[in-house]
Amino acid sequence: MDEYVIDVVINGEADSLKTWCSSVYSAVDSMVGIDMVEDIKTITRTLDGKVWEVKDMDIDYLRNLKENIDESVLSGAFKTIEDLAYDSTHW
């Protein structure tokens, strides 16, 4: 897991949130899951200082997509719990 600092907008004001995720995509997903986040501006991976500038992301659209995911289909994509437990991405 890597640490990410995400510059966001909450209640019309700039703010920064921190999350630990396996990828920048997971970091975005974390922010989509926080209802008070209105916009994502930049994402910084603290490990190496890599910065992603986020432009024109429709966070409400992403939330709508996420709400419509059938979780049984998602969990069914993993054959066994060992697939998750032995993920070697960061080994």
Side-chain angles (χ1 to χ4, degrees), residues 8-10 17 31 34-40 59 63:
V8 297
V9 175
I10 297 174
L17 299 175
M31 296 302 107
I34 301 173
D35 290 337
M36 71 174 100
V37 172
E38 299 164 3
D39 198 9
I40 301 170
I59 200 162
R63 283 188 178 121

Side-chain angles (χ1 to χ4, degrees), residues 20 31 54 58 62:
W20 287 263
M31 296 302 107
V54 180
D58 188 342
L62 293 176

Side-chain angles (χ1 to χ4, degrees), residues 21-91:
C21 296
S22 59
S23 70
V24 67
Y25 306 110
S26 293
V28 169
D29 183 53
S30 292
M31 296 302 107
V32 168
I34 301 173
D35 290 337
M36 71 174 100
V37 172
E38 299 164 3
D39 198 9
I40 301 170
K41 298 298 186 181
T42 63
I43 302 169
T44 304
R45 184 174 51 211
T46 58
L47 175 71
D48 58 4
K50 169 75 176 158
V51 177
W52 290 266
E53 298 287 333
V54 180
K55 296 182 179 163
D56 302 321
M57 181 178 290
D58 188 342
I59 200 162
D60 291 326
Y61 176 73
L62 293 176
R63 283 188 178 121
N64 185 40
L65 288 174
K66 190 172 178 174
E67 286 174 8
N68 290 302
I69 293 174
D70 180 349
E71 290 191 25
S72 66
V73 173
L74 182 60
S75 64
F78 297 100
K79 293 184 178 128
T80 65
I81 194 67
E82 287 82 21
D83 291 339
L84 296 173
Y86 298 108
D87 179 10
S88 62
T89 304
H90 282 46
W91 289 0

